[in-house]
Amino acid sequence: GAVVSQHPSRVICKSGTSVKIECRSLDFQATTMFWYRQFPKQSLMLMATSNEGSKATYEQGVEKDKFLINHASLTLSTLTVTSAHPEDSSFYICSARWLDRGPDTQYFGPGTRLTVL
Amino acid sequence: LAKTTQPISMDSYEGQEVNITCSHNNIATNDYITWYQQFPSQGPRFIIQGYKTKVTNEVASLFIPADRKSSTLSLPRVSLSDTAVYYCLVGDIRINKFYFGSGTKLNVKP
């Protein structure tokens, strides 16, 4: 149980294009999902909290117009990096909170490697 | 928000017990302590979670003293495949307030 998937696992795009990353909880319903960014040899940095049916809450310094988050259902959240630039190249990881099973914690997806040329 | 401090790296040998300590002096009353393991280019994997005293599961033990200002992850008899980065996370996910530490890179040698 507690499987979270991400798609795609790897994406390479040209500067100026938009990229959508999907995060799915496969065997449980997640009212809350989190989006992280991780640069090489660094810890995870929380970008935003995504709640089903409502607007995402962004951390300080994260541009909400650049990183669009949609949590349309209890099993799917998407992150769209708009007008991507090389500095957006990073490892993006989502996690989902499973309320019905103890402990109350978050389960992570496998991550998406974004490379912007 | 309770910030955490972990050693940057640790070395060990196969078969040894490894203890990784995380300091969280400003832990709040409702905060839980959770440990994750991360391999390169993968998402973190849940290891163990606790609130106080000792918690044990099939892969690890978590020791938390009475003042809860620190916690120790104990990995029994590590193998080469345990080489990874271990993160201590402190917070209350119920209110979406938590802090990921900088992680400890564990290197297990043969």
Side-chain angles (χ1 to χ4, degrees):
Chain A
V3 178
V4 178
S5 70
Q6 278 184 246
H7 178 79
S9 58
R10 184 181 295 269
V11 58
I12 301 173
C13 68
K14 294 182 179 180
S15 185
T17 60
S18 294
V19 175
K20 179 184 284 188
I21 302 170
E22 291 186 351
C23 177
R24 293 181 185 273
S25 56
L26 298 184
D27 52 359
F28 65 100
Q29 293 184 330
T31 55
T32 303
M33 290 184 171
F34 304 94
W35 286 96
Y36 295 84
R37 181 167 52 182
Q38 186 176 36
F39 292 107
K41 299 189 187 302
Q42 293 187 23
S43 183
L44 284 76
M45 293 175 49
L46 180 64
M47 299 175 65
T49 301
S50 168
N51 294 297
E52 187 265 338
S54 64
K55 291 184 178 180
T57 303
Y58 291 82
E59 295 299 302
Q60 192 172 9
V62 178
E63 301 175 58
K64 60 181 179 181
D65 294 331
K66 181 170 185 61
F67 298 99
L68 302 178
I69 292 173
N70 184 24
H71 194 154
S73 76
L74 289 173
T75 59
L76 173 64
S77 177
T78 60
L79 168 68
T80 301
V81 183
T82 62
S83 187
H85 292 285
E87 58 265 29
D88 298 322
S89 298
S90 188
F91 191 52
Y92 291 86
I93 311 171
C94 72
S95 71
R97 180 183 169 203
W98 190 352
L99 282 175
D100 294 336
R101 170 178 166 179
D104 180 18
T105 189
Q106 51 186 310
Y107 295 90
F108 287 84
T112 297
R113 176 76 59 192
L114 171 63
T115 303
V116 185
L117 303 176
Chain B
L1 207 58
K3 292 203 171 181
T4 65
T5 303
Q6 302 175 234
I8 294 175
S9 64
M10 294 181 68
D11 288 335
S12 181
Y13 290 94
E14 281 191 293
Q16 288 187 331
E17 177 185 79
V18 171
N19 296 309
I20 306 174
T21 297
C22 178
S23 297
H24 27 81
N25 291 320
N26 296 322
I27 189 168
T29 301
N30 294 327
D31 287 349
Y32 277 75
I33 301 156
T34 311
W35 284 82
Y36 292 88
Q37 175 193 57
Q38 187 182 30
F39 297 110
S41 296
Q42 293 186 26
R45 182 178 74 96
F46 172 86
I47 300 175
I48 198 166
Q49 184 183 73
Y51 182 79
K52 62 179 179 180
T53 63
K54 177 184 175 182
V55 180
T56 298
N57 61 22
E58 62 275 10
V59 298
S61 294
L62 178 59
F63 298 92
I64 305 169
D67 65 6
R68 302 200 329 122
K69 293 183 182 299
S70 67
S71 58
T72 299
L73 172 71
S74 181
L75 304 172
R77 298 179 299 281
V78 295
S79 63
L80 294 176
S81 62
D82 293 318
T83 293
V85 178
Y86 292 82
Y87 290 99
C88 162
L89 183 147
V90 175
D92 188 346
I93 194 174
R94 294 166 294 182
I95 58 172
N96 301 332
K97 294 296 182 186
F98 47 88
Y99 181 84
F100 252 106
S102 55
T104 298
K105 187 174 189 326
L106 173 65
N107 183 29
V108 180
K109 304 175 183 178

